[in-house]
Amino acid sequence: MPDLNFWYGTMGSSKTAQALMTKFQWETKGFRVALLKPDTDTRWGTGTVRSRVGLQSPCISVRPQDDLLLWKMSNPKYQSVLVDEVQFLQPKQIDQLKEIAMRWVPVSCYGLKTDFRTQLFPASKRLFEIADHIFEIPSVCRCGRKAQVNARIKEGHIQKEGDLIEIGGEERYVSLCYKCYQEERLW
């Protein structure tokens, strides 16, 4: 039976690159792969998944109201489903991905575990509850410890309050260990 897998890590840990390499692997074996991305993530535009190392691929944009079960039923050709930036999906869409994995094809999700306040994203929480397999993609804080926090930066300071979703890259976020985050040490 296919599984629902969740690959998580902090920003800059290579989650998107891993998703794109997985897509490449499946396709070189002759499989048809659907690459999905929530339309909330507009950093590289819609319709494209792109990693910091330059890998990219066209993708299918998913809106919060989209029913992924209906989408899969009308797209039976896909033999694997990959989802980048999964933390921006709705929890009910995670349930739909689980159903897709139970009924038809393997589903692998890539995303953040927690937001800049160190709280679980609702979709990530749901994945921790129902995913068949959970894998961490580790990354390193500037001090050398394991990075665990996606710290949001504004004017050289760590923000601990604000809107949940604010799209950005290295100019807005830095991966830190919890100690550096608590001490507000940006190096």
Side-chain angles (χ1 to χ4, degrees):
M1 176 169 77
D3 291 330
L4 173 62
N5 301 297
F6 181 31
W7 297 84
Y8 74 93
T10 58
M11 291 190 67
S13 64
S14 79
K15 299 173 304 299
T16 298
Q18 295 282 335
L20 292 168
M21 289 187 296
T22 299
K23 180 179 185 289
F24 176 79
Q25 282 183 330
W26 279 85
E27 289 175 340
T28 59
K29 304 290 188 285
F31 291 95
R32 288 168 294 203
V33 180
L35 178 60
L36 311 178
K37 178 181 88 164
D39 69 355
T40 308
D41 179 17
T42 57
R43 191 165 58 137
W44 306 111
T46 57
T48 301
V49 168
R50 181 174 161 200
S51 74
R52 287 178 175 87
V53 297
L55 301 174
Q56 65 180 19
S57 176
C59 70
I60 299 162
S61 291
V62 177
R63 299 169 304 167
Q65 67 271 23
D66 288 344
D67 184 319
L68 298 178
L69 278 174
L70 292 176
W71 167 82
K72 177 60 179 122
M73 286 188 273
S74 35
N75 291 281
K77 65 183 177 189
Y78 293 117
Q79 299 165 297
S80 176
V81 175
L82 305 177
V83 184
D84 191 41
E85 302 294 353
V86 71
Q87 72 273 3
F88 296 135
L89 290 182
Q90 300 300 308
K92 69 179 179 181
Q93 291 173 315
I94 301 304
D95 291 333
Q96 294 162 359
L97 290 172
K98 177 68 171 184
E99 190 71 22
I100 289 169
M102 289 184 344
R103 287 188 190 186
W104 298 297
V105 300
V107 177
S108 290
C109 300
Y110 300 82
L112 300 173
K113 177 174 79 170
T114 58
D115 62 27
F116 74 102
R117 303 165 302 171
T118 70
Q119 296 176 9
L120 287 170
F121 280 98
S124 299
K125 177 182 183 295
R126 191 66 183 134
L127 278 163
F128 273 98
E129 293 167 345
I130 66 171
D132 296 299
H133 304 283
I134 298 170
F135 306 96
E136 181 178 17
I137 302 172
S139 60
V140 179
C141 177
R142 293 177 183 173
C143 73
R145 290 186 188 91
K146 177 181 158 188
Q148 298 173 287
V149 179
N150 304 298
R152 183 182 289 169
I153 309 303
K154 185 173 183 179
E155 299 173 2
H157 298 284
I158 294 174
Q159 288 186 300
K160 295 188 178 180
E161 295 179 359
D163 293 335
L164 175 62
I165 298 174
E166 189 174 307
I167 304 300
E170 291 84 6
E171 77 287 353
R172 294 291 293 137
Y173 293 92
V174 63
S175 298
L176 299 174
C177 70
Y178 195 75
K179 183 175 194 247
C180 288
Y181 173 77
Q182 285 297 93
E183 294 174 357
E184 298 193 20
R185 187 179 337 157
L186 293 174
W187 298 90

